[in-house]
Amino acid sequence: MKNPNKILLLLLVLSAKISLSAQVKLPALVSDNMVLQQNTKVNLWGWASPNEKINIQLGWSNLPVNVTADAEGNWKTTVETPKGGETAYDIIIEASNKITLKNILIGEVWLCSGQSNMFFPVGREEGTWKTGVKNYDEEVKKAVFPNIRLFTVALNASAKPLEDVTGSWKICSPESIKTFSAVAYFFGRDLYQKLNVPIGLLSTSWGGTKAEAWTAQSVLEEDVAFLSILQEDARNEKVYQEKLEAYYLALTNERIASAANAPKSQLKKPKKEPNKTSYVLYNAMLHPLVNYTIKGAIWYQGESNSGKAYLYRSLFPTMVKSWREEWKQGEFPFYYVQITPHKGQNAEIREAQLMSLKTIPSSGMVVTTDVGDAQNIHPIDKQTVGYRLALIARAKTYGENKLVYSGPIFNHMKIKKQKVQLFFDYADSGLKKTGDTLKEFEIAGNDQVFYPAEAKIEGKTIVVTSPKVKEPAAVRFAWKAVPEPNLFNNENLPASPFRTDEWVIAEKK
């Protein structure tokens, strides 16, 4: 006869397992201390048992929200949020179990993404490239903003789209800000001080990554221009697997030939960088975020795509378009940073970013030619970058219509005998230079040979000449890896590098 106590114990264990599996679960983003976008409908979502009924109580509303999980246990609903403010709320989510989310704020939520210059933290990490921002000790001490909330998506890569990320919302403090994105923080801090509403900053970035890593596989496969990227990925994977096979063969032969007590092998196993392949970061670090309602996005990336700058002209706008389609929030604001001067970069990638102003709707670009470092691809003045991103948001998103948010952008030129007159947008208040003479202007005739040019400010225009060019055809400005231009508008915002020609330039491999 079977032992009834053992049977009872087994039933209790099975019951507990079934109960545990049936519990409502929430994604990492939907948690204590989060900020929800104000004055709109936001998504709440998670997982439960198939067809389970979930009840949601919102701290700002007396009306309950009811939702039922689908046949796979997924559930999602939208709730209306009030105007943002300092009042903190709880949200209670209840089914077979009960979850109480605490200290929820309503305000403005921004996605912050890119590669290492977006990842670059406020604080210093000894012995690494994370050297800290300018005056990092002082900045860390001042970072006491309980109404700014920070979420950093943990680094992860995946061949398939994931449902969740690792991370948690943290209250902005000297401790939490040390490892948080500096550009994102300074952007959010400036917005908070101007808007006086809570700010949620959702940072998902990884150093050394290309735009294609942040783009869905299906998007890359749809455009014939991007198939070369996937072909290159396949070649790299093949080479890696061949090296791995050779390593294991060598290791096998070594062990067969050695005695049982032979010293540890000196063979080096091939390593594969997980973030270098297309779409793997989209799958692991972006796709799980698309349910979270945002106001807009900021982006700092491009260094790793500079070797294929002409392809970036279409890849970057395609990536942005696909993100907007995923979020289903229309053409939300997308503001980005033109990469800074550095010995390893080129003018063509900055041109691709400049051109994207016309191909990405509701976009804006920060120029950083005055805050770069020729020897350090991670310049430490992230305060200026964050401030200028916030300028764009204040003007284009938050209604400060009279605010000038961009430096001079080349519009068109007029050739007058041996002179070229250049006209600019964002120069209504006038142009100015630092130093005695304007620098970094070049001029060429139809022979496409460029010579240093004399440039002078005439009203809101620049007039460029050179005695070596009798019949000018084109002008270039700050057109090299490490330019040192000194042209600004009267709001102290630098002019973007540009060229007036479309002559083909061979890309360096």
Side-chain angles (χ1 to χ4, degrees):
M1 183 177 177
K2 293 183 178 179
N3 187 330
N5 289 331
K6 288 185 176 180
I7 294 173
L8 179 61
L9 180 61
L10 180 61
L11 289 172
L12 288 172
V13 169
L14 289 172
S15 176
K17 286 185 176 180
I18 293 171
S19 175
L20 187 62
S21 65
Q23 289 186 344
V24 171
K25 296 178 182 178
L26 299 174
L29 276 173
V30 182
S31 57
D32 294 347
N33 303 318
M34 68 179 172
V35 178
L36 295 176
Q37 181 60 39
Q38 67 173 336
N39 290 328
T40 192
K41 292 182 178 180
V42 305
N43 296 316
L44 296 176
W45 76 100
W47 307 276
S49 291
N51 305 311
E52 186 171 12
K53 296 184 185 299
I54 299 106
N55 176 270
I56 302 173
Q57 297 285 341
L58 306 170
W60 58 88
S61 174
N62 294 324
L63 298 176
V65 177
N66 296 299
V67 61
T68 302
D70 65 18
E72 280 75 45
N74 304 302
W75 62 269
K76 184 172 78 170
T77 188
T78 58
V79 301
E80 292 190 7
T81 54
K83 183 179 179 180
E86 295 185 356
T87 301
Y89 300 99
D90 288 353
I91 297 176
I92 300 171
I93 300 175
E94 190 168 8
S96 58
N97 61 311
K98 180 179 178 180
I99 300 174
T100 301
L101 304 177
K102 297 183 178 296
N103 199 24
I104 310 302
L105 293 177
I106 311 296
E108 294 295 293
V109 180
W110 284 81
L111 179 71
C112 315
S113 188
Q115 59 180 108
S116 55
N117 272 308
M118 181 60 81
F119 187 94
F120 191 90
V122 176
R124 180 181 181 87
E125 187 177 314
E126 293 294 340
T128 74
W129 57 273
K130 304 165 191 171
T131 56
V133 301
K134 182 176 64 176
N135 303 323
Y136 64 87
D137 277 335
E138 181 183 351
E139 294 289 6
V140 168
K141 289 176 184 177
K142 293 191 303 183
V144 182
F145 296 99
N147 290 336
I148 297 178
R149 305 294 172 82
L150 319 169
F151 190 106
T152 299
V153 174
L155 302 181
N156 193 18
S158 174
K160 299 293 182 182
L162 302 182
E163 291 185 329
D164 202 3
V165 296
T166 299
S168 61
W169 285 100
K170 299 182 184 300
I171 297 171
C172 181
S173 67
E175 185 59 33
S176 64
I177 206 60
K178 288 179 184 177
T179 56
F180 191 73
S181 162
V183 168
Y185 167 62
F186 292 124
F187 165 77
R189 184 188 68 179
D190 285 3
L191 281 188
Y192 174 71
Q193 291 173 335
K194 291 294 181 181
L195 303 177
N196 198 30
V197 295
I199 301 292
L201 300 171
L202 174 50
S203 176
T204 180
S205 55
W206 195 337
T209 57
K210 297 180 179 181
E212 51 263 41
W214 297 97
T215 306
Q217 181 178 2
S218 59
V219 173
L220 295 172
E221 290 177 344
E222 285 171 2
D223 193 321
V224 66
F226 306 143
L227 291 179
S228 62
I229 297 173
L230 299 176
Q231 290 170 13
E232 184 176 352
D233 287 341
R235 286 194 297 270
N236 292 338
E237 179 63 23
K238 183 180 179 181
V239 170
Y240 168 73
Q241 292 297 336
E242 288 173 348
K243 289 181 179 178
L244 196 62
E245 181 183 9
Y247 163 78
Y248 283 125
L249 178 60
L251 187 61
T252 299
N253 294 335
E254 180 185 84
R255 288 184 178 176
I256 291 173
S258 302
N261 59 351
K264 188 175 180 181
S265 174
Q266 298 301 305
L267 293 171
K268 292 185 178 180
K269 186 177 181 179
K271 292 184 178 180
K272 180 181 179 181
E273 293 183 276
N275 63 347
K276 300 300 185 185
T277 306
S278 299
Y279 61 80
V280 294
L281 303 187
Y282 163 83
N283 287 340
M285 298 179 64
L286 196 83
H287 179 265
L289 314 180
V290 298
N291 282 330
Y292 204 82
T293 307
I294 60 174
K295 185 67 173 185
I298 58 173
W299 173 258
Y300 196 162
Q301 189 276 340
E303 297 91 342
S304 291
N305 285 92
S306 62
K308 295 182 178 179
Y310 285 93
L311 186 59
Y312 197 76
R313 293 179 179 184
S314 55
L315 176 61
F316 180 35
T318 298
M319 184 202 78
V320 176
K321 183 175 183 289
S322 69
W323 285 20
R324 287 169 168 167
E325 289 172 351
E326 287 269 14
W327 252 272
K328 296 180 174 62
Q329 290 185 222
E331 293 178 344
F332 60 73
F334 194 99
Y335 306 138
Y336 59 94
V337 182
Q338 189 182 56
I339 62 171
T340 56
H342 181 261
K343 62 182 181 179
Q345 295 303 307
N346 57 47
E348 289 78 16
I349 189 67
R350 294 189 197 98
E351 179 183 45
Q353 292 173 317
L354 176 63
M355 294 170 72
S356 295
L357 282 175
K358 295 182 179 179
T359 55
I360 301 176
S362 302
S363 64
M365 184 184 75
V366 167
V367 176
T368 59
T369 50
D370 58 332
V371 292
D373 186 329
Q375 304 303 316
N376 184 1
I377 203 166
H378 305 117
I380 63 174
D381 184 0
K382 296 294 191 277
Q383 291 92 328
T384 298
V385 180
Y387 166 75
R388 288 176 181 170
L389 281 166
L391 269 185
I392 302 174
R394 287 167 55 196
K396 300 192 69 172
T397 304
Y398 296 112
E400 294 189 49
N401 299 324
K402 295 183 179 180
L403 189 66
V404 177
Y405 59 86
S406 173
I409 301 290
F410 170 72
N411 185 292
H412 68 282
M413 72 174 183
K414 291 182 180 179
I415 298 175
K416 301 178 178 180
K417 295 183 179 180
Q418 290 183 239
K419 298 180 178 180
V420 177
Q421 188 173 20
L422 305 171
F423 296 80
F424 297 86
D425 296 324
Y426 308 104
D428 288 347
S429 65
L431 301 170
K432 69 177 186 179
K433 62 182 183 292
T434 57
D436 296 329
T437 59
L438 283 173
K439 300 188 297 181
E440 300 289 358
F441 282 92
E442 298 175 294
I443 192 169
N446 287 319
D447 59 0
Q448 301 186 18
V449 177
F450 282 88
Y451 298 93
E454 179 183 336
K456 293 183 178 181
I457 296 172
E458 291 190 6
K460 300 174 184 179
T461 70
I462 304 289
V463 175
V464 182
T465 60
S466 170
K468 295 183 178 181
V469 180
K470 304 300 182 183
E471 297 181 359
V475 172
R476 291 178 179 177
F477 170 69
W479 194 262
K480 57 187 176 185
V482 189
E484 296 181 359
N486 61 343
L487 174 62
F488 297 77
N489 59 18
N490 280 328
E491 286 77 17
N492 296 312
L493 297 172
S496 172
F498 67 91
R499 59 174 173 153
T500 66
D501 64 276
E502 297 180 356
W503 297 334
V504 176
I505 301 173
E507 291 185 288
K508 296 179 181 178
K509 300 296 185 183

